Amino acid sequence: MQIEDYTVEVEVYSHNDAVVFVYEHRHENTGEKSEHGYDIYKHYKKVRTAIPVDFGYEAELTDADKYNLVQNTVNALSLLYQHECEAEIGISFYMNSNFCVNDAIPPALA
């Protein structure tokens, strides 16, 4: 098995039940100076990975169950990355609690 440096695309969609992000805090000098002569930095987050989660309709989970499963994943990733020494790591997530609140189907698709 050979592992090389490459970029992997992870697709996430608005219909995912949850998405967990692992990212690096980045700071880059813009080369500009403030009015007081200090260097100006650009601060941003570079995503290392995104983990899309879909529970499926057959899973009989409450919203609290789903939240707890995602939070457990975040906690496990936090333990994994807490000793990272090359970059400041952040972990965040979002959850869709009500992806579609009405059952409207356009007439052309019905």
Side-chain angles (χ1 to χ4, degrees), residues 60-85:
E60 295 183 12
L61 299 169
T62 66
D63 285 345
D65 293 335
K66 293 175 185 178
Y67 178 85
N68 287 332
L69 287 169
V70 172
Q71 187 62 57
N72 289 341
T73 301
V74 169
N75 292 342
L77 288 167
S78 295
L79 289 173
L80 181 66
Y81 283 102
Q82 71 182 348
H83 301 291
E84 172 77 36
C85 61

Side-chain angles (χ1 to χ4, degrees), residues 15-46:
H15 67 267
N16 291 127
D17 290 320
V19 179
V20 180
F21 296 95
V22 177
Y23 56 88
E24 298 176 14
H25 292 278
R26 291 293 187 98
H27 317 281
E28 289 182 5
N29 191 326
T30 64
E32 299 175 22
K33 298 279 188 186
S34 72
E35 62 185 48
H36 300 291
Y38 297 111
D39 290 337
I40 296 176
Y41 286 85
K42 173 184 169 185
H43 302 277
Y44 62 96
K45 297 174 184 175
K46 179 182 177 187

Side-chain angles (χ1 to χ4, degrees), residues 81-106:
Y81 283 102
Q82 71 182 348
H83 301 291
E84 172 77 36
C85 61
E86 297 296 319
E88 294 176 0
I89 302 296
I91 300 171
S92 65
F93 68 92
Y94 73 79
M95 295 188 72
N96 281 322
S97 57
N98 294 310
F99 168 66
C100 185
V101 296
N102 64 353
D103 290 327
I105 299 175

